Amino acid sequence: MRILQTIEAMIMQLSAQKNIKRFYSEGFGISDEKVIVTGIPRTDIFFDEEYGEKIINKIYREHPILKNKKVILFAPTFRGEGKDDAYYPKDKFNIETFF
């Protein structure tokens, strides 16, 4: 009963994406107007085309040799229990698969 009272008193609910807004509305039994789409601050920047262009231009200014080249970012996920035994199985990485 307390949960229902809490939901009824809800002023708004936050949603990360427009396409799932209706599920929040339906699931909490609140109107669509009470569901506010905020995005995901940590990842929204990856979808900002203007920001992407700015960063690419900065990289090319700082490293002109990269222009018109294929650039590969190798960002491995390390394995292990913590910083003391972290490792990456380098034998599993084959650079040739990228060309």
Side-chain angles (χ1 to χ4, degrees):
M1 195 64 158
R2 260 183 122 165
I3 293 174
L4 290 177
Q5 290 171 337
T6 302
I7 291 173
E8 288 171 1
M10 193 180 294
I11 297 170
M12 74 174 111
Q13 172 65 42
L14 302 179
S15 170
Q17 300 173 356
K18 282 186 267 182
N19 60 340
I20 61 172
K21 179 178 178 173
R22 67 185 176 94
F23 298 115
Y24 278 83
S25 175
E26 183 182 314
F28 287 108
I30 58 177
S31 67
D32 276 356
E33 294 79 37
K34 286 189 173 186
V35 181
I36 311 300
V37 179
T38 60
I40 304 173
R42 186 174 182 160
T43 60
D44 282 352
I45 198 165
F46 298 130
F47 303 99
D48 183 337
E49 291 180 21
E50 188 177 308
Y51 177 78
E53 297 260 336
K54 179 180 162 186
I55 294 302
I56 288 170
N57 290 331
K58 179 182 177 194
I59 290 169
Y60 287 152
R61 263 194 324 276
E62 293 175 6
H63 308 280
I65 195 168
L66 297 177
K67 270 195 175 185
N68 301 315
K69 301 275 170 80
K70 185 181 231 181
V71 177
I72 299 169
L73 170 65
F74 178 62
T77 302
F78 289 89
R79 306 292 183 231
E81 297 296 319
K83 66 178 179 125
D84 295 329
D85 69 345
Y87 70 95
Y88 181 78
K90 293 178 186 161
D91 57 315
K92 303 235 185 232
F93 179 69
N94 181 356
I95 190 74
E96 298 300 319
T97 60
F98 291 95
F99 296 105

